[in-house]
Amino acid sequence: MTPGARTVPAADIVIVNWNAGRHLGECLRSIVRADRSRLRVARIVVVDNASTDGSLHGLTTSGIPLDVVRNSGNRGFGAACNQGAARGDSDFVLFLNPDTELYPDTLRAVGDFLGTRAAEGVGICGGRMVDERGEPAISCSRFPSLRIFFGKMTGLDRLAPAIFPPHHLLPEETTASGPVDQVIGAFFLLRRSLFEELGGFDERYFLYFEETDLALRARRRNRRSYYLYEARVHHIGQVSSAQLGGRRLRYSLCSRSLYAFRHWPRPHAWLLMALTLTVELTARVGRALLRRSLSECRATLSGYGGYLSWLCMIATHAFERRFLEATTASPGPAAPAVSARTTDSTKDPLHAHR
């Protein structure tokens, strides 16, 4: 290694794969072709969540060490990301979706940015997502709130965006680099020190909202997320999740509830759950019927059935825990009341299951 190369930051790239087909190989080839003179790729770790499509066959990364981890079952996105990150020790970790492809100048743009003063307070960096025509795709989002979700449920985010802002930033809002609430997880670069300080992704999110949760926890430690317009990434999107059918909606609803109960005032979280089971369910089924789409209707009902099963499991767990506490408590004076502000939120039954 030359003396100049020692000053170039290094990143480990982690890719979680689940039946991504040919896209995984194309993603790896794009990394090999990328200009890595300003951001060195120390290793690529592919964590496979029990794929059955042969997507791991014949993978090569000429000049870059490749580490393939094969899970016997689907552990979920966040858990697999944590697995992959633990296999490296570079100063940066780049979580990359298998349905993305880097442009030749993507990593160079990121490396150039990391050497600037503007990057000093940044904990997470994302790029500009584009489709196959080079048109802008979703790149970053606002932290979700009850107002945002209600607007999305009812369509008011399109009719009155000033009152009910959309969750994802619109293309006209992402024409220049700058701080944002959250960059999407398809290209998610973190300082390893921050990732370890936060304890990695919360593995209770099986799919969806894990990067939102991590970005919010980083923000609360004064570590910003930054959208880098110059770093283009071709993102196909939904290659793996489209194969889930109704389970995709189930995972989204479950993760959304976990996020709300972890980070929102409790009344807002309960209201979101009520709206999910009434207003949103009615709107989804209504749209499916208007489109005369039997498959969409089945997927909606399947997703909500899974969500209700998850809620019942949580309710059962909470009842069993309280019953055991009541029947095993030793006699004596009542314990003093504990303020809601100091209660350990990880003991909330909503945090106990995926």
Side-chain angles (χ1 to χ4, degrees):
M1 182 183 295
T2 63
R6 294 193 184 96
T7 64
V8 175
D12 299 314
I13 296 181
V14 177
I15 302 171
V16 175
N17 180 63
W18 184 72
N19 294 327
R22 62 180 177 81
H23 299 290
L24 175 61
E26 291 173 357
C27 176
L28 295 178
R29 284 189 285 275
S30 77
I31 298 171
V32 172
R33 294 193 300 265
D35 180 351
R36 305 188 300 276
S37 62
R38 303 295 292 164
L39 180 63
R40 184 169 61 87
V41 177
R43 63 180 52 77
I44 301 173
V45 183
V46 174
V47 182
D48 185 75
N49 271 334
S51 295
T52 58
D53 66 343
S55 51
L56 295 183
H57 179 70
L59 299 181
T60 60
T61 54
S62 177
I64 306 174
L66 175 64
D67 187 1
V68 178
V69 180
R70 294 175 171 84
N71 288 331
S72 58
N74 192 340
R75 296 192 57 190
F77 181 76
C81 283
N82 290 343
Q83 270 186 286
R87 312 281 286 207
D89 57 4
S90 297
D91 289 340
F92 292 90
V93 185
L94 171 58
F95 296 99
L96 194 63
N97 276 14
D99 60 352
T100 60
E101 293 179 37
L102 305 183
Y103 285 84
D105 62 348
T106 303
L107 296 180
R108 188 180 70 223
V110 174
D112 286 341
F113 169 71
L114 293 176
T116 65
R117 178 168 294 182
E120 292 177 0
V122 172
I124 303 170
C125 182
R128 171 166 50 111
M129 304 297 117
V130 299
D131 62 18
E132 63 277 3
R133 300 187 303 272
E135 296 297 320
I138 295 171
S139 298
C140 32
S141 309
R142 297 175 175 87
F143 287 133
S145 65
L146 183 60
R147 178 183 297 186
I148 285 175
F149 281 137
F150 183 74
K152 188 174 182 180
M153 291 176 188
T154 58
L156 290 171
D157 59 341
R158 295 185 295 275
L159 296 174
I163 302 174
F164 298 95
H167 183 195
H168 302 300
L169 271 64
L170 302 175
E172 54 266 30
E173 297 177 282
T174 57
T175 57
S177 301
V180 294
D181 282 352
Q182 173 212 335
V183 297
I184 68 167
F187 184 98
F188 200 81
L189 179 82
L190 297 94
R191 299 182 188 276
R192 180 176 291 276
S193 58
L194 174 63
F195 185 74
E196 293 177 349
E197 181 183 346
L198 295 172
F201 288 105
D202 188 333
E203 298 183 7
R204 290 169 291 191
Y205 297 92
F206 185 79
L207 184 65
Y208 302 121
F209 289 91
E210 59 282 302
E211 78 272 27
T212 310
D213 173 271
L214 191 144
L216 181 58
R217 289 188 283 131
R219 171 69 67 85
R220 289 173 175 169
R221 293 175 183 253
N222 295 318
R223 304 310 295 272
R224 298 173 297 153
S225 293
Y226 194 90
Y227 164 67
L228 187 61
Y229 180 84
E230 293 76 16
R232 295 176 303 156
V233 180
H234 176 205
H235 184 209
I236 298 170
Q238 302 180 4
V239 167
S240 296
S241 61
Q243 304 172 50
L244 292 170
R247 287 180 295 163
R248 177 183 171 187
L249 177 58
R250 174 197 172 183
Y251 293 142
S252 177
L253 297 177
C254 292
S255 293
R256 191 170 77 179
S257 293
L258 280 173
Y259 179 87
F261 274 90
R262 178 168 187 184
H263 297 296
W264 293 2
R266 195 53 55 92
H268 288 198
W270 283 113
L271 183 54
L272 173 66
M273 187 180 294
L275 291 170
T276 298
L277 294 170
T278 54
V279 173
E280 186 175 26
L281 174 58
T282 302
R284 285 182 179 273
V285 173
R287 281 196 298 269
L289 293 176
L290 286 174
R291 295 168 181 163
R292 298 182 180 180
S293 175
L294 185 59
S295 61
E296 183 180 347
C297 191
R298 279 200 300 261
T300 298
L301 294 177
S302 173
Y304 270 81
Y307 179 58
L308 285 170
S309 296
W310 179 76
L311 292 176
C312 289
M313 178 179 64
I314 288 172
T316 300
H317 173 85
F319 175 80
E320 290 175 348
R321 190 188 68 181
R322 291 175 182 174
F323 178 78
L324 288 172
E325 288 174 351
T327 56
T328 59
S330 58
V338 179
S339 168
R341 293 179 180 271
T342 60
T343 300
D344 183 357
S345 64
T346 61
K347 295 182 180 178
D348 190 296
L350 280 167
H351 295 165
H353 296 88
R354 286 176 180 165

